[in-house]
Amino acid sequence: MAAAVQTECGCTGIRKCLLCEDKDKFKCVSIKALEEERSKKMQQYTFCIRCGRTLQVDQKCTHRERKCEGPGTQEGVLEGVSVILGFVTDIEEQTIVAEIDRTIWKPSQSGRRKQDFGPQVNFKKKKLKLDNFTGLPEFSKALVERMWIQVPALSDFQPVELCNLDYIPERGSSIDPHFDDFWVWGERLVTLNLLSDTILTFSNDEHYMEVAVPMPRRSLIIVEGAARYKWKHAIKRQHIASRRIAITLRELSQEFCEGGKSFSLGTELIQRALTFQGKSVQVNIKDHEC
């Protein structure tokens, strides 16, 4: 599915996309060059999404009786990643994407576009604002309810934030290695990958390892445990071959759950989120300003 190429760049600082690299190509180092330099320092591994083992790049799992054979690697194993294939059908995918594209896309970093459904967060000051947060979008209700019923690991998952990210190769879309914030976001990060296959790259600076995790089209990926807290994750520019939409849902950290000092605020966030009546934050802000 094609997407209109934005002419406005949302990059700041050292982050670059093809739009700003073309305009300022003699003053900046390309993302591709930075990625290649970083990867040279890392040992390269792959991840089997069927057995959950970390393999050297020249190893392959032999699938027999739904089990994988092969030695794998013993040190620096990536743990806490689960991939569920075919979480939505192709028809459901088309319907979801059509609904998403009805909402305004905002230019973001490194050639991405985004839509935010969640509280406004000041990560430096550790403050939340609920003024423009009206809940998760209506289309996500069926997805969340399916997670509760069909995925045991998500039976108690209560997302309070949904972010849609749009990637296309014409913008050089990517996302740098990073940790999602630990103060406000909790144990599990859940992403539905739509429109094209891609690879989520996890990196561990302690073990000098990069692990490539395949994310097939229409699959759901759950990141928790060590993969959440000890490994950074990224999408490399070269792994975007055609348009990709990522729907990521996040839950609250323990500080906002029962026993935490911000429990009452967390309760309000969950209640508001699960009304599934939300508009994107940028749409709400625009309406408010008008």
Side-chain angles (χ1 to χ4, degrees), residues 87 154 260:
F87 189 72
L154 298 177

Side-chain angles (χ1 to χ4, degrees), residues 133-144:
F133 178 43
T134 54
L136 301 184
E138 183 179 2
F139 79 83
S140 67
K141 182 178 181 180
L143 297 176
V144 172

Side-chain angles (χ1 to χ4, degrees), residues 176-192:
D176 297 339
H178 67 284
F179 293 108
D180 279 30
D181 184 78
F182 299 145
W183 165 66
V184 64
W185 307 132
E187 169 78 14
R188 293 162 294 190
L189 308 175
V190 180
T191 297
L192 180 62

Side-chain angles (χ1 to χ4, degrees), residues 11-211:
C11 298
T12 59
I14 64 169
R15 296 180 178 89
K16 300 293 177 182
C17 67
L18 287 180
L19 298 177
C20 57
E21 282 181 16
D22 288 344
K23 295 176 182 177
D24 196 23
K25 59 184 177 182
F26 298 111
K27 296 182 180 180
C28 70
V29 179
S30 72
I31 289 294
K32 183 177 180 181
L34 291 172
E35 289 179 349
E36 289 176 350
E37 185 62 29
R38 175 179 171 82
S39 293
K40 286 178 183 178
K41 302 175 183 178
M42 297 286 192
Q43 302 174 65
Q44 302 298 314
Y45 294 84
T46 59
F47 184 85
C48 178
I49 60 176
R50 289 186 63 176
C51 73
R53 285 198 286 177
T54 306
L55 305 170
Q56 296 177 0
V57 291
D58 57 349
Q59 290 179 318
K60 291 184 179 180
C61 275
T62 302
H63 303 288
R64 294 178 180 175
E65 297 179 355
R66 299 184 181 179
K67 296 181 180 180
C68 296
E69 297 179 352
T73 181
Q74 298 300 315
E75 185 177 359
V77 172
L78 177 63
E79 296 179 335
V81 174
S82 304
V83 178
I84 300 170
L85 300 176
F87 189 72
V88 295
T89 67
D90 55 351
I91 294 176
E92 288 173 328
E93 177 187 53
Q94 293 172 28
T95 302
I96 292 168
V97 171
E99 183 63 29
I100 287 173
D101 278 338
R102 291 175 57 192
T103 295
I104 296 170
W105 286 101
K106 178 182 177 181
S108 186
Q109 305 285 350
S110 304
R112 305 185 306 275
R113 299 190 302 171
K114 69 177 180 179
Q115 298 171 356
D116 290 319
F117 297 82
Q120 292 177 265
V121 185
N122 186 321
F123 295 108
K124 290 184 179 180
K125 296 183 179 180
K126 294 187 176 182
K127 291 185 177 181
L128 295 178
K129 289 181 66 176
L130 278 64
D131 298 3
N132 299 300
F133 178 43
T134 54
L136 301 184
E138 183 179 2
F139 79 83
S140 67
K141 182 178 181 180
L143 297 176
V144 172
E145 289 178 346
R146 185 175 300 177
M147 293 175 198
W148 291 339
I149 295 170
Q150 296 184 7
V151 186
L154 298 177
S155 61
D156 60 346
F157 183 62
Q158 295 184 305
V160 297
E161 198 253 12
L162 182 149
C163 179
N164 296 323
L165 289 177
D166 177 73
Y167 295 72
I168 62 169
E170 291 83 359
R171 294 194 302 264
S173 303
S174 64
I175 190 164
D176 297 339
H178 67 284
F179 293 108
D180 279 30
D181 184 78
F182 299 145
W183 165 66
V184 64
W185 307 132
E187 169 78 14
R188 293 162 294 190
L189 308 175
V190 180
T191 297
L192 180 62
N193 184 57
L194 299 178
L195 296 181
S196 64
D197 299 344
T198 191
I199 292 174
L200 185 62
T201 300
F202 286 83
S203 57
N204 186 308
D205 295 335
E206 179 183 356
H207 295 289
Y208 294 95
M209 291 179 64
E210 276 191 352
V211 182

Side-chain angles (χ1 to χ4, degrees), residues 258-269:
E258 188 171 2
K261 65 180 183 180
S262 300
F263 174 55
S264 59
L265 177 58
T267 300
E268 183 178 354
L269 275 167

